[in-house]
Amino acid sequence: MRFLAALAMALGLTTALRADEVTTTTLDNGLEVVVIEDHRAPAAVHMLWYRAGSADEPPSSSGVAHFLEHLLFKGTETIDAGEFSDIVAAQGGSDNAFTSYDYTAYFQRVAADRLPLMMRMEADRMNNLRLTEEDIATERGVILEERNQRVENSPGALAREQMRAAQYLNHRYGVPIIGWKHEMEQLGMEDALDFYDLYYSPNNAVLVVAGDVHPDEVIALARETYGPIPREPDLPERVRPQEPPQTAERRLVYEDPRVSQPYLTRSYIAPERDSGAQEKAAALTYLAELLGGSPFTSALGVALQFDSQTAVYTSAYYNGRSLDDTTFGLTVVPEQGVTLQKAEDAMDAAIADFLETGIEADRMERLHTQLRASEVYARDDVQGLARRYGAALTQGLTVGDVQAWPETLQSVTEEDILTVAREVLDRDRSVTAWVVPSREVLQ
């Protein structure tokens, strides 16, 4: 009976991994439209993604992408400042926005019959933003306070900023999304409008609509609302300064008296998911689970938390969704009385042992099943599904790449993982940070 239940589960997961119901088109003005059908609930998610994030900002204007995200909730010719979200809420919906290195996105989740209103409003602020100097001063204060709360008040966040700055010497991924404080303080009307006028254009955007919708109706509505907006003729090619080859290990000690427990963290330059070539990223997804997933089964958890009681916490992380090279990271929090050097030595020994002994077949089988299940369950979140496609299309991937990803994960072998691990886990391509309350703990 146990075998039959497992077989039924496997068959169910296999069936559920069918391709999403996705329809795509491109309007005459260059706007890409993606429609994802899901008729299980009478709701829709409307998301507009711009291929413009913090890594696309001009020099000396760090934070302007996130600043503009805030400013888009000010007024247009037809909507007063702050009224946009009030209108969405009055329809029983919710809205928000977010900025990353590679994109800025705006979304509303509403009843499906409210979709026409959302499209008209979003198209309006794509082309008709109106700002005052008071708007600029107010929102500049808001983003500076946001930086104070999320970064300046968090030693961990400050340490991560320093690590990224050390990891990326030439690429804009080394600049924080929210911006450097001294540059944020100087952001003004011209900075915001220059970024808006250049990048907030239909030929630099992706519209994703998911939920209880019909593709032909959505596309017709997109043509009606977004179609009249002119394309940007001077949109530049998306070319960024790239990193030179890293040939030496980089290290730093970040000291902050607010650190409650010393810890070490290391990041390695790692490949991202590339269109038509996602295999390395898939293998790195497994590697993160094998090294730092569950403390009861991962290489670092078993070796450091249980076998040697060197650490109270271990983890590994990797996110391949990135336009350019991303990072693979490790973190270890040592037990009381264990030095950071001893913890780091134990971490490196555990990695070396993992590379030498390989991966047990039943462990690979369990991970295949876990990742297959996570891909299936992710399809139950319509907003998450819309976000998956929007992020992919603004980070160099295609709809086909998104739909191929689950099976790409299932095709990963032990040798694939070990090969990419040997390539990526190179100390000469890493940054290691010791985060401490005082340098006295190093003595």
Side-chain angles (χ1 to χ4, degrees):
M1 292 295 291
R2 185 177 300 171
F3 169 77
L4 292 175
L7 178 61
M9 178 182 178
L11 290 173
L13 293 179
T14 300
T15 301
L17 276 177
R18 68 190 186 280
D20 301 313
E21 298 288 338
V22 178
T23 303
T24 65
T25 192
T26 302
L27 304 189
D28 291 342
N29 60 6
L31 178 70
E32 291 186 45
V33 182
V34 178
V35 185
I36 308 167
E37 290 185 77
D38 187 329
H39 300 288
R40 289 176 292 179
V45 176
H46 173 267
M47 305 190 82
L48 188 65
W49 298 71
Y50 292 98
R51 291 184 176 91
S54 66
D56 300 293
E57 297 165 341
S60 304
S61 298
S62 67
V64 70
H66 176 247
F67 185 37
L68 183 57
E69 176 212 310
H70 278 245
L71 291 170
L72 242 70
F73 289 88
K74 298 302 182 180
T76 69
E77 293 178 347
T78 59
I79 297 177
D80 292 335
E83 190 180 6
F84 191 105
S85 294
D86 291 341
I87 294 173
V88 176
Q91 307 303 310
S94 60
D95 74 318
N96 213 326
F98 47 88
T99 304
S100 184
Y101 291 107
D102 299 319
Y103 53 72
T104 308
Y106 302 82
F107 70 90
Q108 302 87 40
R109 184 179 179 92
V110 292
D113 62 357
R114 301 299 193 272
L115 183 60
L117 176 60
M118 299 303 106
M119 278 207 188
R120 289 194 296 271
M121 290 168 56
E122 196 67 81
D124 179 41
R125 66 176 175 180
M126 175 189 276
N127 202 44
N128 298 312
L129 181 65
R130 296 294 179 265
L131 300 174
T132 66
E133 287 296 342
E134 183 180 359
D135 294 333
I136 296 295
T138 299
E139 290 307 313
R140 186 171 53 227
V142 170
I143 62 170
L144 284 167
E145 180 56 28
E146 185 177 340
R147 181 181 167 89
N148 285 336
Q149 291 181 0
R150 295 186 178 184
V151 182
E152 304 295 343
N153 288 335
S154 169
L158 289 167
R160 287 191 295 274
E161 275 193 348
Q162 294 302 309
M163 279 194 71
R164 288 194 71 91
Q167 185 84 77
Y168 293 99
L169 300 183
N170 198 46
H171 197 286
R172 291 284 295 187
Y173 286 169
V175 178
I177 295 170
I178 199 169
W180 297 118
K181 185 175 183 179
H182 68 286
E183 293 185 348
M184 294 168 66
E185 291 170 338
Q186 303 304 315
L187 291 175
M189 178 81 77
E190 185 177 355
D191 300 301
L193 290 181
D194 284 350
F195 201 80
Y196 173 77
D197 290 339
L198 183 60
Y199 291 116
Y200 278 50
S201 51
N203 51 320
N204 196 44
V206 179
L207 172 65
V208 182
V209 177
D212 188 19
V213 296
H214 298 282
D216 54 345
E217 296 175 1
V218 172
I219 292 169
L221 190 57
R223 286 200 176 100
E224 176 188 332
T225 54
Y226 290 100
I229 302 173
R231 64 191 300 127
E232 170 55 58
D234 298 321
L235 184 68
E237 186 179 355
R238 204 175 193 191
V239 177
R240 295 163 167 176
Q242 297 298 300
E243 281 297 293
Q246 183 178 342
T247 57
E249 179 182 6
R250 299 166 191 163
R251 302 185 65 87
L252 61 95
V253 175
Y254 184 79
E255 180 182 8
D256 190 313
R258 296 172 297 177
V259 173
S260 59
Q261 171 68 43
Y263 65 92
L264 71 95
T265 182
R266 181 186 294 163
S267 62
Y268 304 83
I269 287 288
E272 76 282 7
R273 285 171 60 180
D274 286 324
S275 183
Q278 303 183 88
E279 291 78 12
K280 283 188 178 181
L284 286 167
T285 301
Y286 279 84
L287 182 63
E289 284 295 318
L290 288 163
L291 288 182
S294 167
F296 302 103
T297 56
S298 65
L300 294 181
V302 171
L304 275 65
Q305 294 180 245
F306 292 100
D307 290 351
S308 67
Q309 296 186 341
T310 301
V312 295
Y313 174 79
T314 59
S315 71
Y317 54 90
Y318 170 75
N319 182 0
R321 290 197 313 199
S322 178
L323 186 62
D324 297 311
D325 279 348
T326 184
T327 57
F328 185 95
L330 306 168
T331 299
V332 174
V333 180
E335 283 274 8
Q336 194 72 28
V338 175
T339 66
L340 288 172
Q341 186 62 64
K342 182 177 179 181
E344 184 175 344
D345 291 343
M347 180 182 76
D348 286 329
I351 293 171
D353 184 63
F354 170 81
L355 293 175
E356 181 179 347
T357 59
I359 308 161
E360 296 178 357
D362 63 337
R363 180 78 172 113
M364 281 295 299
E365 185 178 351
R366 288 196 301 272
L367 278 178
H368 276 305
T369 301
Q370 290 169 14
L371 289 175
R372 182 181 290 273
S374 70
E375 291 295 316
V376 172
Y377 298 145
R379 300 183 75 251
D380 288 334
D381 180 1
V382 174
Q383 185 166 313
L385 201 58
R387 186 163 182 158
R388 175 178 294 200
Y389 280 92
L393 292 170
T394 53
Q395 294 179 305
L397 299 176
T398 67
V399 168
D401 294 323
V402 176
Q403 295 186 334
W405 178 245
E407 291 306 327
T408 302
L409 285 172
Q410 291 305 304
S411 69
V412 171
T413 66
E414 174 188 356
E415 188 54 39
D416 293 333
I417 298 168
L418 294 175
T419 298
V420 77
R422 295 185 183 102
E423 173 189 331
V424 170
L425 302 179
D426 178 354
R427 291 279 291 270
D428 286 340
R429 291 162 54 87
S430 73
V431 176
T432 303
W434 288 6
V435 183
V436 297
S438 167
R439 290 179 184 267
E440 293 179 359
V441 305
L442 307 178
Q443 298 174 358

